[in-house]
Amino acid sequence: MEKKMKSVWFVFVMIVAAASFLMAAEGTDSTHVSGKVLCQDCTQGWNEWVSGAKPIKGSVVSITCLDERRVMYYGSDLTDEVGGFDLLLNKTWYGKPIKPHNCFLRLVSSPDPVCNIPTDFAGGNSGIKLRRPTVVYRDLTKYEMGPFYYTTPMCDQPDINNDDDAHYNNSETDSNY
């Protein structure tokens, strides 16, 4: 009998907790942006390089939202043990609506002393705009982004653009001296 009462109480507590969570979620007016930050090591074999990326704990990912003229919101989050981040973005900021399609996400930093060169796989280095939400339910909107990657200095490809040479050749005409 005592075991049955404990299980009834457990079910009751779980129902109350779930109901309070749902009531709190209904009152929220927020957007979640989540994803992962991983390290790709090109010195590994092809399979390890493609599918063996390791999570980076403590990486910083930022979100920047613009209005018609300027940056209106900036936020960041640290990744957890599995490289995951979850940024919470309110739908209004000081009374002005934040439009997710005017927000972009990007890598900021990696605490890994070896794997700390941001790549542009999935747009992590240059930034990626929020396009289509993956979850829309009542007042909750969620964007699940593909993983962002860092790599090692050995794997970083040099920029072979000659734009710098053109700049240096024209520096005499652009000089302020």
Side-chain angles (χ1 to χ4, degrees):
M1 180 70 173
E2 185 178 321
K3 193 173 187 179
K4 187 175 183 180
M5 283 300 285
K6 283 183 180 180
S7 61
V8 168
W9 274 108
F10 177 75
V11 169
F12 176 75
V13 168
M14 294 304 290
I15 290 172
V16 169
S20 63
F21 174 76
L22 289 175
M23 286 171 47
E26 282 181 13
T28 62
D29 199 17
S30 61
T31 299
H32 287 264
V33 181
S34 64
K36 287 190 173 199
V37 177
L38 306 171
C39 175
Q40 276 188 327
D41 186 0
C42 71
T43 62
Q44 303 298 315
W46 173 254
N47 286 336
E48 290 83 14
W49 182 75
V50 171
S51 60
K54 306 283 188 261
I56 302 176
K57 179 183 177 181
S59 290
V60 179
V61 178
S62 72
I63 189 164
T64 305
C65 299
L66 309 171
D67 63 6
E68 296 79 33
R69 296 174 287 175
R70 65 187 170 274
V71 173
M72 69 177 298
Y73 178 80
Y74 175 86
S76 63
D77 191 28
L78 289 173
T79 56
D80 59 16
E81 299 81 30
V82 295
F85 62 88
D86 187 16
L87 290 156
L88 180 64
L89 178 66
N90 290 328
K91 291 188 178 180
T92 60
W93 185 252
Y94 290 105
K96 292 181 76 175
I98 294 178
K99 299 174 184 166
H101 63 274
N102 288 341
C103 298
F104 64 94
L105 196 68
R106 65 180 283 274
L107 292 169
V108 176
S109 66
S110 169
D112 191 317
V114 176
C115 194
N116 56 13
I117 307 294
T119 70
D120 233 354
F121 289 125
N125 190 29
S126 61
I128 185 168
K129 286 190 136 199
L130 301 181
R131 300 233 186 257
R132 288 182 217 97
T134 52
V135 175
V136 177
Y137 179 73
R138 297 187 184 187
D139 291 335
L140 172 70
T141 305
K142 186 168 186 173
Y143 293 84
E144 294 175 1
M145 310 306 286
F148 293 143
Y149 295 97
Y150 281 96
T151 192
T152 62
M154 179 186 287
C155 302
D156 190 28
Q157 293 184 0
D159 185 11
I160 55 173
N161 254 345
N162 288 332
D163 293 343
D164 290 339
D165 294 337
H167 174 71
Y168 290 122
N169 291 338
N170 295 330
S171 63
E172 293 173 8
T173 59
D174 295 338
S175 177
N176 290 327
Y177 299 108

